[in-house]
Amino acid sequence: MAFEVNTEVFRAFSTYATVVILKMMFVSMLTVYYRVTRKAFDNPEDVKSGRTMEEKKRMLRTDADVERTRRCHQNDLENIVPFVVIGLLYSLTETNLSSALLHFRIFVGFRFFYMLAYLIPLPNPSRGLSWIVGMCVTFSMAYNVLTRAMFH
Ligand SMILES: N[C@@H](CCC(=O)N[C@@H](CS)C(=O)NCC(=O)O)C(=O)O
């Protein structure tokens, strides 16, 4: 079997995967920001800045913004990691650049929208719809990888 790799597709994948991973890392940094500004920590060793024992105890608490940002980050992990893994295989098997770009752009665009929908928050079903679009893109890439692997 001849194994053909379109370097333009791979280059596009590298770009979009990096952008969406940076976006995910931004959400992680935002969690840190909310933790520090809201003084809401999970671990006793993180509350050193508290002056009294009483203050340290108060800082061991949950905060709605921290938890929302954490859930957004968790969802990124559940969706962006599969996109990167399957997208890598897809970018090694897809030779049509416009089809690949369509997949990458839709996924990345809708993950940005998902983040806004979760963090602002926007009324539902905006978050649910943006999540499902991203899932469909990953499933479509997986379908392409599997059919190429089986039938070529
Ligand atoms: N782990 C997710 C799996 C399903 C999912 O990702 N659902 C989307 C659309 S409703 C979502 O935004 N879930 C909220 C979340 O992951 O915090 C969950 O528990 O909800």
Side-chain angles (χ1 to χ4, degrees):
M1 180 181 81
F3 188 66
E4 199 184 338
V5 176
N6 182 335
T7 53
E8 289 300 309
V9 171
F10 187 71
R11 200 202 306 250
F13 169 71
S14 305
T15 307
Y16 284 100
T18 303
V19 168
V20 82
I21 288 171
L22 287 173
K23 185 220 75 68
M24 181 170 76
M25 291 167 71
F26 165 76
V27 177
S28 176
M29 297 310 294
L30 197 61
T31 316
V32 175
Y33 169 78
Y34 280 133
R35 276 199 185 290
V36 173
T37 56
R38 307 289 197 272
K39 293 191 183 356
F41 299 93
D42 280 345
N43 308 299
E45 63 272 25
D46 296 340
V47 296
K48 281 195 203 117
S49 64
R51 269 174 240 128
T52 61
M53 277 309 282
E54 199 54 40
E55 193 181 349
K56 286 181 188 185
K57 267 191 204 150
R58 270 206 307 273
M59 288 163 78
L60 283 175
R61 66 184 185 91
T62 55
D63 172 86
D65 289 326
V66 171
E67 293 310 311
R68 178 174 285 277
T69 318
R70 262 156 66 94
R71 289 195 301 276
C72 184
H73 186 230
Q74 171 72 33
N75 197 279
D76 270 352
L77 287 167
E78 289 173 15
N79 290 274
I80 292 174
V81 172
F83 168 80
V84 171
V85 175
I86 293 172
L88 175 63
L89 302 173
Y90 171 76
S91 71
L92 295 173
T93 51
E94 177 61 85
T95 49
N96 185 325
L97 179 61
S98 55
S99 176
L101 282 173
L102 190 67
H103 281 84
F104 302 153
R105 285 176 180 162
I106 291 176
F107 182 86
V108 173
F110 275 90
R111 285 313 296 184
F112 270 91
F113 184 78
Y114 180 91
M115 176 182 72
L116 295 176
Y118 215 152
L119 298 183
I120 291 176
L122 298 177
N124 257 337
S126 50
R127 173 164 51 85
L129 287 178
S130 51
W131 170 77
I132 201 104
V133 172
M135 283 291 258
C136 288
V137 169
T138 304
F139 278 127
S140 170
M141 293 192 308
Y143 174 81
N144 276 281
V145 171
L146 289 174
T147 49
R148 285 202 179 100
M150 284 190 281
F151 303 119
H152 285 82

